[in-house]
Amino acid sequence: MTFSYLRPLAVAGCLALAACGGPANYAKSAFGTEGGYSLKNAHATPPSLMVARKIERPLFIVLDPSKVKDTWTLETSACATTTDGCETFKLFDVHQFVRRDLKAALEHYFTSVTVVDSSKALPSTPHVVGDVKIDQIKLHALSRGMLTYQIIQMTWGFGLRPSDKADYTYSFAGTAESKDSYPTFEAGCAQVIEDAMPAMLKKWAEGGGIEALRDVAAK
């Protein structure tokens, strides 16, 4: 049995129509590319905390390809046990999470934010180093009675330290999730980003990370 679609070009696999019991047809997404989807088409608008004054050092986020893969292969939960209803596809341009979303979120807190591809590109002048990793991106099947939802999950971590220190002043690790329903796969990815940023920033603010870095920068 296949899904009925709420409207053309929608991902029905994550809607209440999942009660039909068939596989998710991700090829019907509005922006789907051959073989998968691009994070470039996921436009998130996460909330940000209010900051009275910025940290007086520039931030350089190191985007290490060995810690953040640019392409991830995703599969529905059915693939673990059978080929019936199993669907596999790719999520491309995951580096956009760092270059666009993480950078934009942290621009509220630092005099400037720059993403570099290697620690070799870091300047010799005082700055703050940000290290980021993504451990896993996967689909998680959530069953509620007759309904089954495909939740998008991303497990990731982020750390900040002054350039003259070896230990992190602040570190975060967590799993961000989409909601039960989303109209397109890219919209679901945007929900993941909108869940990831506030969780990271909330811990940073409440754990004293902002003030600790501000104190270091003032010396």
Side-chain angles (χ1 to χ4, degrees):
M1 182 182 296
T2 57
F3 284 111
S4 298
Y5 291 98
L6 183 64
R7 67 172 186 263
L9 304 178
V11 178
C14 303
L15 304 174
L17 294 174
C20 297
N25 190 341
Y26 293 97
K28 294 294 183 180
S29 177
F31 300 103
T33 59
E34 184 177 356
Y37 305 91
S38 171
L39 205 64
K40 290 180 179 179
N41 297 319
H43 303 293
T45 55
S48 61
L49 302 174
M50 295 184 64
V51 180
R53 57 192 175 93
K54 293 185 176 183
I55 296 168
E56 293 299 319
R57 277 196 187 186
L59 169 64
F60 288 82
I61 303 174
V62 180
L63 175 53
D64 184 342
S66 68
K67 295 180 180 179
V68 181
K69 294 192 301 182
D70 199 33
T71 300
W72 289 76
T73 299
L74 304 180
E75 59 183 26
T76 55
S77 56
C79 298
T81 56
T82 179
T83 57
D84 184 21
C86 168
E87 292 199 20
T88 301
F89 58 93
K90 294 184 183 298
L91 178 61
F92 301 107
D93 304 310
V94 176
H95 284 180
Q96 285 293 307
F97 172 73
V98 179
R99 297 189 184 279
R100 179 191 62 193
D101 303 307
L102 186 58
K103 179 178 183 292
L106 292 168
E107 284 175 337
H108 297 283
Y109 306 95
F110 293 89
T111 54
S112 65
V113 180
T114 304
V115 178
V116 296
D117 295 328
S118 167
S119 59
K120 295 179 180 179
L122 295 174
S124 57
T125 52
H127 58 277
V128 175
V129 180
D131 290 319
V132 59
K133 66 174 182 174
I134 296 180
D135 297 312
Q136 188 176 51
I137 299 177
K138 68 176 184 178
L139 299 178
H140 171 67
L142 177 64
S143 298
R144 292 178 177 171
M146 294 288 292
L147 305 180
T148 299
Y149 303 89
Q150 295 289 342
I151 309 298
I152 309 169
Q153 293 182 332
M154 180 180 73
T155 302
W156 73 296
F158 184 60
L160 291 166
R161 63 176 178 83
S163 56
D164 56 346
K165 303 293 183 182
D167 295 329
Y168 291 116
T169 302
Y170 163 79
S171 62
F172 169 85
T175 299
E177 295 185 340
S178 68
K179 298 177 182 178
D180 293 354
S181 303
Y182 39 86
T184 67
F185 189 77
E186 293 86 355
C189 290
Q191 291 175 2
V192 173
I193 296 167
E194 290 168 357
D195 186 43
M197 293 305 171
M200 182 271 291
L201 294 174
K202 184 173 185 290
K203 181 183 177 183
W204 188 29
E206 295 181 350
I210 294 177
E211 292 304 321
L213 280 173
R214 185 175 284 123
D215 291 343
V216 169
K219 295 179 181 179

